[in-house]
Amino acid sequence: MISLLQRVSEARVDIDGQTVGAIGPGLLLLLCAEPEDTEAVGEKLLSKVLKLRIFSDEAGKMNRSVQDIGGGLLVVSQFTLAADTKSGNRPGFTGAAPPALGEALYEAFVKAARVQHPLVQTGRFGADMKVHLVNDGPVTIPLRMTA
């Protein structure tokens, strides 16, 4: 599973002019399933995301997790994280999971996140989304989890 985490002071997802998910301080998580991924891979990734210490403590050091600060988690599906740009000028996306598998793994990830974290918001799988964010830092962390 490929993900891109952004520490945000706020973020939201709009679809057709309507906000479908929004958080204040926390993490925007862009998520892409790959063909070999399973729910177990998603659970490993979620555990890492929730424990990753990328928020500042009183001394200004990155020592706190999103759970430590009580921040939000905004999970947005983004198959383009699997883009293959090795040749030519048009990216290929065969590295992304087929849509049915991608959606099932995305939904399983969100369900698990809602069990483990009190504030989880989402976009909508496969929708044309407008993602608005204020990156705090900026802090952007790529994460890739495999079986």
Short mmCIF file of all heavy atoms in Angstrom, two decimals, residues 43-118:
data_model
loop_
_atom_site.label_atom_id
_atom_site.label_comp_id
_atom_site.label_asym_id
_atom_site.label_seq_id
_atom_site.Cartn_x
_atom_site.Cartn_y
_atom_site.Cartn_z
N GLU A 43 -3.83 -2.74 7.77
CA GLU A 43 -3.77 -2.64 9.23
C GLU A 43 -2.37 -2.27 9.71
O GLU A 43 -2.22 -1.48 10.64
CB GLU A 43 -4.25 -3.95 9.87
CG GLU A 43 -5.74 -4.16 9.69
CD GLU A 43 -6.21 -5.55 10.07
OE1 GLU A 43 -5.42 -6.32 10.65
OE2 GLU A 43 -7.38 -5.86 9.77
N LYS A 44 -1.34 -2.82 9.06
CA LYS A 44 0.05 -2.45 9.40
C LYS A 44 0.30 -0.98 9.10
O LYS A 44 0.92 -0.27 9.90
CB LYS A 44 1.04 -3.31 8.60
CG LYS A 44 1.25 -4.71 9.14
CD LYS A 44 2.11 -5.60 8.26
CE LYS A 44 3.40 -5.00 7.77
NZ LYS A 44 4.19 -5.95 6.95
N LEU A 45 -0.19 -0.53 7.96
CA LEU A 45 -0.03 0.87 7.59
C LEU A 45 -0.75 1.78 8.57
O LEU A 45 -0.20 2.78 9.04
CB LEU A 45 -0.53 1.12 6.16
CG LEU A 45 -0.48 2.57 5.69
CD1 LEU A 45 0.97 3.07 5.63
CD2 LEU A 45 -1.14 2.71 4.33
N LEU A 46 -1.97 1.43 8.91
CA LEU A 46 -2.75 2.23 9.86
C LEU A 46 -2.04 2.33 11.20
O LEU A 46 -1.96 3.42 11.79
CB LEU A 46 -4.15 1.64 10.04
CG LEU A 46 -5.04 2.34 11.06
CD1 LEU A 46 -5.29 3.79 10.67
CD2 LEU A 46 -6.34 1.58 11.23
N SER A 47 -1.50 1.24 11.69
CA SER A 47 -0.79 1.26 12.95
C SER A 47 0.39 2.23 12.89
O SER A 47 0.61 3.02 13.82
CB SER A 47 -0.29 -0.15 13.28
OG SER A 47 0.42 -0.15 14.49
N LYS A 48 1.12 2.21 11.80
CA LYS A 48 2.26 3.12 11.62
C LYS A 48 1.78 4.57 11.58
O LYS A 48 2.37 5.45 12.23
CB LYS A 48 3.01 2.75 10.34
CG LYS A 48 4.23 3.56 10.08
CD LYS A 48 5.33 3.16 11.04
CE LYS A 48 6.68 3.53 10.49
NZ LYS A 48 7.74 3.12 11.41
N VAL A 49 0.73 4.83 10.82
CA VAL A 49 0.21 6.20 10.68
C VAL A 49 -0.21 6.76 12.04
O VAL A 49 0.12 7.90 12.38
CB VAL A 49 -0.98 6.22 9.69
CG1 VAL A 49 -1.75 7.54 9.78
CG2 VAL A 49 -0.49 5.97 8.27
N LEU A 50 -0.93 5.98 12.81
CA LEU A 50 -1.45 6.47 14.08
C LEU A 50 -0.36 6.68 15.13
O LEU A 50 -0.53 7.49 16.04
CB LEU A 50 -2.52 5.52 14.62
CG LEU A 50 -3.80 5.43 13.79
CD1 LEU A 50 -4.74 4.39 14.38
CD2 LEU A 50 -4.48 6.78 13.64
N LYS A 51 0.76 5.98 14.99
CA LYS A 51 1.85 6.09 15.98
C LYS A 51 3.01 6.97 15.53
O LYS A 51 3.90 7.26 16.32
CB LYS A 51 2.38 4.69 16.30
CG LYS A 51 1.36 3.82 17.01
CD LYS A 51 1.89 2.42 17.20
CE LYS A 51 0.81 1.53 17.80
NZ LYS A 51 1.22 0.12 17.81
N LEU A 52 3.01 7.37 14.26
CA LEU A 52 4.12 8.14 13.72
C LEU A 52 4.24 9.49 14.43
O LEU A 52 3.28 10.27 14.46
CB LEU A 52 3.92 8.35 12.21
CG LEU A 52 5.13 8.78 11.41
CD1 LEU A 52 6.23 7.72 11.46
CD2 LEU A 52 4.72 9.04 9.97
N ARG A 53 5.40 9.74 14.99
CA ARG A 53 5.60 10.96 15.80
C ARG A 53 6.09 12.10 14.92
O ARG A 53 7.29 12.29 14.76
CB ARG A 53 6.56 10.66 16.94
CG ARG A 53 6.02 9.59 17.88
CD ARG A 53 6.90 9.31 19.06
NE ARG A 53 8.31 9.29 18.71
CZ ARG A 53 9.30 9.19 19.59
NH1 ARG A 53 9.04 9.09 20.87
NH2 ARG A 53 10.55 9.15 19.20
N ILE A 54 5.13 12.84 14.37
CA ILE A 54 5.48 13.95 13.49
C ILE A 54 4.84 15.27 13.92
O ILE A 54 4.85 16.24 13.17
CB ILE A 54 5.14 13.64 12.01
CG1 ILE A 54 3.66 13.34 11.81
CG2 ILE A 54 6.00 12.48 11.51
CD1 ILE A 54 3.27 13.19 10.36
N PHE A 55 4.33 15.30 15.15
CA PHE A 55 3.79 16.53 15.72
C PHE A 55 4.72 17.01 16.83
O PHE A 55 5.28 16.20 17.57
CB PHE A 55 2.37 16.32 16.25
CG PHE A 55 1.37 16.07 15.16
CD1 PHE A 55 1.13 14.78 14.71
CD2 PHE A 55 0.69 17.12 14.57
CE1 PHE A 55 0.23 14.54 13.70
CE2 PHE A 55 -0.21 16.89 13.54
CZ PHE A 55 -0.44 15.61 13.11
N SER A 56 4.84 18.30 16.96
CA SER A 56 5.79 18.89 17.91
C SER A 56 5.32 18.79 19.35
O SER A 56 4.13 18.92 19.65
CB SER A 56 6.01 20.36 17.57
OG SER A 56 6.55 20.48 16.28
N ASP A 57 6.30 18.57 20.24
CA ASP A 57 6.04 18.64 21.67
C ASP A 57 6.35 20.06 22.15
O ASP A 57 6.56 20.97 21.34
CB ASP A 57 6.86 17.59 22.42
CG ASP A 57 8.37 17.79 22.30
OD1 ASP A 57 8.83 18.86 21.84
OD2 ASP A 57 9.11 16.85 22.67
N GLU A 58 6.38 20.27 23.47
CA GLU A 58 6.62 21.60 24.03
C GLU A 58 7.98 22.16 23.65
O GLU A 58 8.17 23.37 23.58
CB GLU A 58 6.52 21.57 25.57
CG GLU A 58 5.21 21.07 26.12
CD GLU A 58 5.12 19.54 26.14
OE1 GLU A 58 6.16 18.84 26.12
OE2 GLU A 58 3.99 19.05 26.14
N ALA A 59 8.94 21.28 23.39
CA ALA A 59 10.29 21.71 23.04
C ALA A 59 10.45 21.91 21.53
O ALA A 59 11.53 22.25 21.06
CB ALA A 59 11.31 20.69 23.53
N GLY A 60 9.38 21.71 20.77
CA GLY A 60 9.44 21.89 19.33
C GLY A 60 9.99 20.70 18.57
O GLY A 60 10.22 20.78 17.37
N LYS A 61 10.16 19.56 19.25
CA LYS A 61 10.66 18.34 18.60
C LYS A 61 9.49 17.48 18.15
O LYS A 61 8.45 17.44 18.81
CB LYS A 61 11.54 17.55 19.55
CG LYS A 61 12.83 18.25 19.88
CD LYS A 61 13.76 17.31 20.61
CE LYS A 61 15.08 18.03 20.81
NZ LYS A 61 16.18 17.10 20.95
N MET A 62 9.67 16.77 17.06
CA MET A 62 8.63 15.86 16.57
C MET A 62 8.59 14.63 17.48
O MET A 62 9.31 13.66 17.26
CB MET A 62 8.91 15.46 15.13
CG MET A 62 8.66 16.53 14.13
SD MET A 62 8.82 15.83 12.46
CE MET A 62 8.57 17.28 11.48
N ASN A 63 7.75 14.69 18.49
CA ASN A 63 7.65 13.61 19.47
C ASN A 63 6.23 13.15 19.72
O ASN A 63 6.02 12.31 20.58
CB ASN A 63 8.26 14.06 20.81
CG ASN A 63 9.74 13.76 20.90
OD1 ASN A 63 10.22 12.80 20.30
ND2 ASN A 63 10.46 14.59 21.62
N ARG A 64 5.27 13.70 19.01
CA ARG A 64 3.87 13.35 19.26
C ARG A 64 3.21 12.78 18.01
O ARG A 64 3.48 13.21 16.89
CB ARG A 64 3.11 14.59 19.73
CG ARG A 64 3.66 15.10 21.05
CD ARG A 64 2.60 15.77 21.84
NE ARG A 64 3.12 16.01 23.17
CZ ARG A 64 2.86 17.08 23.87
NH1 ARG A 64 2.09 18.02 23.37
NH2 ARG A 64 3.36 17.21 25.08
N SER A 65 2.31 11.85 18.24
CA SER A 65 1.55 11.25 17.15
C SER A 65 0.21 11.96 17.00
O SER A 65 -0.19 12.76 17.85
CB SER A 65 1.30 9.77 17.45
OG SER A 65 0.37 9.64 18.52
N VAL A 66 -0.51 11.63 15.95
CA VAL A 66 -1.84 12.19 15.75
C VAL A 66 -2.76 11.79 16.90
O VAL A 66 -3.63 12.56 17.31
CB VAL A 66 -2.42 11.80 14.36
CG1 VAL A 66 -2.75 10.31 14.29
CG2 VAL A 66 -3.62 12.66 14.00
N GLN A 67 -2.54 10.61 17.46
CA GLN A 67 -3.34 10.18 18.60
C GLN A 67 -2.98 10.99 19.85
O GLN A 67 -3.85 11.35 20.62
CB GLN A 67 -3.19 8.69 18.84
CG GLN A 67 -3.87 7.88 17.75
CD GLN A 67 -3.93 6.41 18.06
OE1 GLN A 67 -2.94 5.81 18.47
NE2 GLN A 67 -5.09 5.82 17.84
N ASP A 68 -1.68 11.26 20.01
CA ASP A 68 -1.24 12.04 21.17
C ASP A 68 -1.86 13.43 21.20
O ASP A 68 -2.18 13.95 22.27
CB ASP A 68 0.29 12.19 21.19
CG ASP A 68 1.02 10.88 21.42
OD1 ASP A 68 0.43 9.95 22.00
OD2 ASP A 68 2.19 10.80 21.00
N ILE A 69 -2.03 14.04 20.02
CA ILE A 69 -2.55 15.42 19.98
C ILE A 69 -4.06 15.46 19.81
O ILE A 69 -4.66 16.54 19.82
CB ILE A 69 -1.88 16.26 18.86
CG1 ILE A 69 -2.28 15.74 17.48
CG2 ILE A 69 -0.37 16.31 19.05
CD1 ILE A 69 -2.24 16.80 16.41
N GLY A 70 -4.69 14.29 19.64
CA GLY A 70 -6.14 14.26 19.43
C GLY A 70 -6.53 14.87 18.09
O GLY A 70 -7.60 15.44 17.95
N GLY A 71 -5.67 14.70 17.09
CA GLY A 71 -5.91 15.27 15.77
C GLY A 71 -6.82 14.42 14.91
O GLY A 71 -7.10 13.26 15.21
N GLY A 72 -7.26 15.01 13.82
CA GLY A 72 -8.12 14.32 12.88
C GLY A 72 -7.32 13.54 11.85
O GLY A 72 -6.12 13.76 11.66
N LEU A 73 -8.00 12.63 11.18
CA LEU A 73 -7.42 11.85 10.10
C LEU A 73 -8.39 11.94 8.92
O LEU A 73 -9.55 11.56 9.04
CB LEU A 73 -7.24 10.39 10.54
CG LEU A 73 -6.57 9.42 9.58
CD1 LEU A 73 -5.14 9.85 9.28
CD2 LEU A 73 -6.58 8.02 10.17
N LEU A 74 -7.90 12.50 7.82
CA LEU A 74 -8.71 12.61 6.60
C LEU A 74 -8.11 11.66 5.58
O LEU A 74 -6.97 11.85 5.13
CB LEU A 74 -8.70 14.05 6.07
CG LEU A 74 -9.46 14.33 4.78
CD1 LEU A 74 -10.94 13.94 4.89
CD2 LEU A 74 -9.32 15.79 4.38
N VAL A 75 -8.84 10.60 5.23
CA VAL A 75 -8.35 9.54 4.35
C VAL A 75 -8.97 9.72 2.96
O VAL A 75 -10.19 9.70 2.82
CB VAL A 75 -8.70 8.14 4.91
CG1 VAL A 75 -8.08 7.05 4.03
CG2 VAL A 75 -8.24 8.00 6.35
N VAL A 76 -8.09 9.84 1.96
CA VAL A 76 -8.54 10.09 0.59
C VAL A 76 -7.90 9.06 -0.34
O VAL A 76 -6.67 8.91 -0.34
CB VAL A 76 -8.14 11.52 0.14
CG1 VAL A 76 -8.54 11.77 -1.31
CG2 VAL A 76 -8.77 12.56 1.06
N SER A 77 -8.71 8.36 -1.11
CA SER A 77 -8.17 7.39 -2.07
C SER A 77 -7.49 8.15 -3.21
O SER A 77 -8.00 9.17 -3.69
CB SER A 77 -9.28 6.49 -2.61
OG SER A 77 -10.23 7.25 -3.33
N GLN A 78 -6.32 7.64 -3.64
CA GLN A 78 -5.60 8.30 -4.73
C GLN A 78 -4.74 7.28 -5.48
O GLN A 78 -3.57 7.08 -5.16
CB GLN A 78 -4.74 9.45 -4.22
CG GLN A 78 -4.14 10.23 -5.38
CD GLN A 78 -3.53 11.54 -4.96
OE1 GLN A 78 -3.54 11.92 -3.80
NE2 GLN A 78 -2.97 12.23 -5.92
N PHE A 79 -5.34 6.66 -6.50
CA PHE A 79 -4.63 5.63 -7.26
C PHE A 79 -3.42 6.18 -8.00
O PHE A 79 -2.50 5.43 -8.34
CB PHE A 79 -5.59 4.91 -8.22
CG PHE A 79 -5.91 5.69 -9.47
CD1 PHE A 79 -5.17 5.47 -10.63
CD2 PHE A 79 -6.93 6.61 -9.50
CE1 PHE A 79 -5.45 6.18 -11.78
CE2 PHE A 79 -7.23 7.32 -10.64
CZ PHE A 79 -6.48 7.11 -11.80
N THR A 80 -3.36 7.48 -8.23
CA THR A 80 -2.23 8.05 -8.97
C THR A 80 -0.92 7.96 -8.21
O THR A 80 0.14 8.18 -8.79
CB THR A 80 -2.50 9.51 -9.37
OG1 THR A 80 -2.70 10.29 -8.20
CG2 THR A 80 -3.71 9.61 -10.29
N LEU A 81 -0.95 7.59 -6.92
CA LEU A 81 0.30 7.37 -6.19
C LEU A 81 1.08 6.19 -6.78
O LEU A 81 2.29 6.08 -6.58
CB LEU A 81 0.02 7.10 -4.71
CG LEU A 81 -0.44 8.30 -3.89
CD1 LEU A 81 -0.82 7.86 -2.48
CD2 LEU A 81 0.62 9.38 -3.84
N ALA A 82 0.42 5.33 -7.53
CA ALA A 82 1.07 4.19 -8.16
C ALA A 82 1.55 4.50 -9.57
O ALA A 82 1.89 3.60 -10.34
CB ALA A 82 0.12 2.99 -8.19
N ALA A 83 1.61 5.77 -9.93
CA ALA A 83 2.00 6.16 -11.28
C ALA A 83 3.38 5.63 -11.66
O ALA A 83 4.33 5.74 -10.89
CB ALA A 83 1.98 7.68 -11.41
N ASP A 84 3.47 5.07 -12.85
CA ASP A 84 4.75 4.65 -13.41
C ASP A 84 5.15 5.69 -14.44
O ASP A 84 4.48 5.87 -15.46
CB ASP A 84 4.60 3.27 -14.07
CG ASP A 84 5.89 2.76 -14.68
OD1 ASP A 84 6.92 3.47 -14.63
OD2 ASP A 84 5.86 1.63 -15.22
N THR A 85 6.25 6.38 -14.17
CA THR A 85 6.71 7.46 -15.05
C THR A 85 8.09 7.14 -15.64
O THR A 85 8.79 8.06 -16.08
CB THR A 85 6.77 8.79 -14.28
OG1 THR A 85 7.65 8.63 -13.16
CG2 THR A 85 5.39 9.20 -13.80
N LYS A 86 8.46 5.87 -15.65
CA LYS A 86 9.79 5.48 -16.12
C LYS A 86 10.02 5.77 -17.59
O LYS A 86 11.13 6.09 -18.00
CB LYS A 86 10.04 4.00 -15.83
CG LYS A 86 10.17 3.70 -14.37
CD LYS A 86 10.38 2.22 -14.13
CE LYS A 86 10.36 1.97 -12.65
NZ LYS A 86 9.77 0.69 -12.32
N SER A 87 9.00 5.63 -18.40
CA SER A 87 9.19 5.88 -19.83
C SER A 87 8.04 6.74 -20.35
O SER A 87 6.93 6.70 -19.85
CB SER A 87 9.26 4.58 -20.61
OG SER A 87 8.03 3.88 -20.53
N GLY A 88 8.35 7.53 -21.34
CA GLY A 88 7.35 8.39 -21.95
C GLY A 88 6.94 9.53 -21.03
O GLY A 88 7.53 9.74 -19.98
N ASN A 89 5.94 10.25 -21.48
CA ASN A 89 5.47 11.42 -20.74
C ASN A 89 4.08 11.25 -20.15
O ASN A 89 3.58 12.14 -19.48
CB ASN A 89 5.49 12.65 -21.64
CG ASN A 89 6.90 13.01 -22.05
OD1 ASN A 89 7.80 12.99 -21.22
ND2 ASN A 89 7.10 13.30 -23.32
N ARG A 90 3.47 10.12 -20.42
CA ARG A 90 2.15 9.84 -19.86
C ARG A 90 2.29 8.72 -18.84
O ARG A 90 2.75 7.63 -19.17
CB ARG A 90 1.20 9.42 -20.98
CG ARG A 90 -0.19 9.17 -20.49
CD ARG A 90 -1.12 8.92 -21.65
NE ARG A 90 -2.42 8.58 -21.13
CZ ARG A 90 -3.27 7.79 -21.74
NH1 ARG A 90 -2.97 7.27 -22.90
NH2 ARG A 90 -4.43 7.52 -21.19
N PRO A 91 1.92 8.98 -17.58
CA PRO A 91 2.08 7.94 -16.56
C PRO A 91 1.15 6.75 -16.80
O PRO A 91 0.06 6.90 -17.33
CB PRO A 91 1.73 8.65 -15.25
CG PRO A 91 0.99 9.87 -15.64
CD PRO A 91 1.35 10.21 -17.04
N GLY A 92 1.63 5.58 -16.39
CA GLY A 92 0.82 4.38 -16.42
C GLY A 92 0.39 4.06 -14.99
O GLY A 92 1.08 4.39 -14.03
N PHE A 93 -0.75 3.39 -14.85
CA PHE A 93 -1.29 3.12 -13.52
C PHE A 93 -1.55 1.64 -13.27
O PHE A 93 -2.36 1.28 -12.42
CB PHE A 93 -2.56 3.94 -13.30
CG PHE A 93 -2.32 5.41 -13.41
CD1 PHE A 93 -2.70 6.12 -14.53
CD2 PHE A 93 -1.65 6.08 -12.39
CE1 PHE A 93 -2.45 7.48 -14.62
CE2 PHE A 93 -1.39 7.44 -12.48
CZ PHE A 93 -1.78 8.15 -13.60
N THR A 94 -0.83 0.77 -13.97
CA THR A 94 -1.02 -0.66 -13.77
C THR A 94 -0.53 -1.12 -12.41
O THR A 94 -0.88 -2.21 -11.97
CB THR A 94 -0.30 -1.48 -14.88
OG1 THR A 94 1.08 -1.12 -14.87
CG2 THR A 94 -0.90 -1.20 -16.24
N GLY A 95 0.23 -0.29 -11.71
CA GLY A 95 0.69 -0.63 -10.37
C GLY A 95 -0.38 -0.46 -9.30
O GLY A 95 -0.21 -0.90 -8.16
N ALA A 96 -1.48 0.19 -9.65
CA ALA A 96 -2.59 0.36 -8.70
C ALA A 96 -3.47 -0.89 -8.74
O ALA A 96 -3.58 -1.56 -9.77
CB ALA A 96 -3.41 1.59 -9.05
N ALA A 97 -4.10 -1.17 -7.62
CA ALA A 97 -5.04 -2.30 -7.56
C ALA A 97 -6.21 -2.05 -8.51
O ALA A 97 -6.60 -0.90 -8.73
CB ALA A 97 -5.54 -2.48 -6.14
N PRO A 98 -6.80 -3.11 -9.06
CA PRO A 98 -8.03 -2.94 -9.85
C PRO A 98 -9.08 -2.23 -8.99
O PRO A 98 -9.08 -2.37 -7.76
CB PRO A 98 -8.46 -4.36 -10.19
CG PRO A 98 -7.24 -5.21 -9.98
CD PRO A 98 -6.42 -4.51 -8.94
N PRO A 99 -9.98 -1.48 -9.62
CA PRO A 99 -10.94 -0.68 -8.84
C PRO A 99 -11.70 -1.43 -7.75
O PRO A 99 -11.83 -0.92 -6.64
CB PRO A 99 -11.89 -0.13 -9.91
CG PRO A 99 -11.05 -0.06 -11.15
CD PRO A 99 -10.12 -1.25 -11.06
N ALA A 100 -12.19 -2.61 -8.02
CA ALA A 100 -12.98 -3.34 -7.01
C ALA A 100 -12.11 -3.68 -5.79
O ALA A 100 -12.55 -3.49 -4.64
CB ALA A 100 -13.58 -4.61 -7.60
N LEU A 101 -10.90 -4.14 -6.01
CA LEU A 101 -10.00 -4.44 -4.91
C LEU A 101 -9.57 -3.17 -4.21
O LEU A 101 -9.55 -3.10 -2.97
CB LEU A 101 -8.77 -5.20 -5.41
CG LEU A 101 -7.69 -5.50 -4.36
CD1 LEU A 101 -8.25 -6.37 -3.23
CD2 LEU A 101 -6.48 -6.16 -5.01
N GLY A 102 -9.25 -2.14 -4.97
CA GLY A 102 -8.85 -0.86 -4.38
C GLY A 102 -9.92 -0.31 -3.47
O GLY A 102 -9.63 0.15 -2.35
N GLU A 103 -11.17 -0.35 -3.92
CA GLU A 103 -12.26 0.17 -3.10
C GLU A 103 -12.46 -0.67 -1.84
O GLU A 103 -12.67 -0.13 -0.75
CB GLU A 103 -13.56 0.23 -3.91
CG GLU A 103 -14.70 0.85 -3.14
CD GLU A 103 -15.93 1.10 -3.99
OE1 GLU A 103 -16.04 0.54 -5.10
OE2 GLU A 103 -16.80 1.87 -3.52
N ALA A 104 -12.40 -1.99 -1.98
CA ALA A 104 -12.58 -2.86 -0.82
C ALA A 104 -11.48 -2.61 0.23
O ALA A 104 -11.78 -2.53 1.43
CB ALA A 104 -12.57 -4.33 -1.25
N LEU A 105 -10.24 -2.46 -0.22
CA LEU A 105 -9.15 -2.21 0.72
C LEU A 105 -9.22 -0.82 1.33
O LEU A 105 -8.92 -0.63 2.51
CB LEU A 105 -7.80 -2.44 0.03
CG LEU A 105 -7.50 -3.89 -0.34
CD1 LEU A 105 -6.23 -3.99 -1.17
CD2 LEU A 105 -7.40 -4.77 0.90
N TYR A 106 -9.65 0.15 0.55
CA TYR A 106 -9.85 1.51 1.07
C TYR A 106 -10.93 1.50 2.16
O TYR A 106 -10.75 2.05 3.24
CB TYR A 106 -10.23 2.46 -0.08
CG TYR A 106 -10.67 3.83 0.37
CD1 TYR A 106 -9.73 4.78 0.77
CD2 TYR A 106 -12.02 4.19 0.38
CE1 TYR A 106 -10.13 6.05 1.18
CE2 TYR A 106 -12.42 5.45 0.78
CZ TYR A 106 -11.47 6.38 1.18
OH TYR A 106 -11.88 7.63 1.58
N GLU A 107 -12.05 0.86 1.87
CA GLU A 107 -13.15 0.80 2.84
C GLU A 107 -12.74 0.05 4.11
O GLU A 107 -13.10 0.44 5.22
CB GLU A 107 -14.40 0.17 2.21
CG GLU A 107 -15.02 0.99 1.10
CD GLU A 107 -15.52 2.37 1.54
OE1 GLU A 107 -15.84 2.56 2.73
OE2 GLU A 107 -15.57 3.27 0.67
N ALA A 108 -11.97 -1.03 3.95
CA ALA A 108 -11.49 -1.78 5.12
C ALA A 108 -10.54 -0.92 5.95
O ALA A 108 -10.60 -0.94 7.19
CB ALA A 108 -10.79 -3.06 4.68
N PHE A 109 -9.69 -0.14 5.29
CA PHE A 109 -8.76 0.74 6.00
C PHE A 109 -9.55 1.78 6.80
O PHE A 109 -9.27 2.01 7.98
CB PHE A 109 -7.84 1.45 4.99
CG PHE A 109 -6.79 2.31 5.63
CD1 PHE A 109 -5.53 1.80 5.90
CD2 PHE A 109 -7.05 3.63 5.96
CE1 PHE A 109 -4.55 2.59 6.49
CE2 PHE A 109 -6.10 4.44 6.55
CZ PHE A 109 -4.84 3.91 6.82
N VAL A 110 -10.53 2.41 6.18
CA VAL A 110 -11.34 3.43 6.84
C VAL A 110 -12.10 2.83 8.03
O VAL A 110 -12.15 3.42 9.11
CB VAL A 110 -12.31 4.10 5.85
CG1 VAL A 110 -13.35 4.96 6.56
CG2 VAL A 110 -11.53 4.92 4.82
N LYS A 111 -12.67 1.65 7.84
CA LYS A 111 -13.41 0.98 8.92
C LYS A 111 -12.48 0.73 10.12
O LYS A 111 -12.84 1.02 11.26
CB LYS A 111 -14.01 -0.33 8.42
CG LYS A 111 -14.84 -1.06 9.44
CD LYS A 111 -15.44 -2.32 8.84
CE LYS A 111 -16.26 -3.07 9.89
NZ LYS A 111 -16.80 -4.32 9.34
N ALA A 112 -11.29 0.21 9.85
CA ALA A 112 -10.32 -0.05 10.93
C ALA A 112 -9.89 1.26 11.59
O ALA A 112 -9.74 1.33 12.81
CB ALA A 112 -9.11 -0.80 10.38
N ALA A 113 -9.69 2.30 10.78
CA ALA A 113 -9.29 3.60 11.33
C ALA A 113 -10.35 4.13 12.28
O ALA A 113 -10.03 4.67 13.35
CB ALA A 113 -9.02 4.60 10.20
N ARG A 114 -11.61 3.97 11.93
CA ARG A 114 -12.70 4.48 12.77
C ARG A 114 -12.81 3.71 14.09
O ARG A 114 -13.29 4.25 15.08
CB ARG A 114 -14.01 4.45 12.00
CG ARG A 114 -14.04 5.55 10.93
CD ARG A 114 -15.36 5.65 10.23
NE ARG A 114 -15.41 6.91 9.48
CZ ARG A 114 -15.93 7.04 8.28
NH1 ARG A 114 -16.50 5.99 7.69
NH2 ARG A 114 -15.93 8.21 7.69
N VAL A 115 -12.37 2.48 14.10
CA VAL A 115 -12.34 1.69 15.34
C VAL A 115 -11.21 2.18 16.25
O VAL A 115 -11.37 2.25 17.47
CB VAL A 115 -12.20 0.18 15.03
CG1 VAL A 115 -11.89 -0.61 16.29
CG2 VAL A 115 -13.46 -0.34 14.35
N GLN A 116 -10.08 2.54 15.65
CA GLN A 116 -8.88 2.86 16.43
C GLN A 116 -8.67 4.34 16.70
O GLN A 116 -7.82 4.69 17.52
CB GLN A 116 -7.65 2.30 15.71
CG GLN A 116 -7.66 0.80 15.60
CD GLN A 116 -6.42 0.30 14.91
OE1 GLN A 116 -5.31 0.71 15.22
NE2 GLN A 116 -6.60 -0.61 13.95
N HIS A 117 -9.40 5.21 16.01
CA HIS A 117 -9.17 6.64 16.16
C HIS A 117 -10.51 7.37 16.19
O HIS A 117 -11.39 7.07 15.40
CB HIS A 117 -8.29 7.14 15.00
CG HIS A 117 -7.73 8.50 15.20
ND1 HIS A 117 -6.76 8.77 16.14
CD2 HIS A 117 -8.02 9.69 14.62
CE1 HIS A 117 -6.46 10.07 16.09
NE2 HIS A 117 -7.22 10.64 15.19
N PRO A 118 -10.67 8.36 17.09
CA PRO A 118 -11.98 8.97 17.27
C PRO A 118 -12.45 9.91 16.16
O PRO A 118 -13.65 10.09 15.98
CB PRO A 118 -11.82 9.76 18.59
CG PRO A 118 -10.36 10.00 18.71
CD PRO A 118 -9.68 8.83 18.07
#
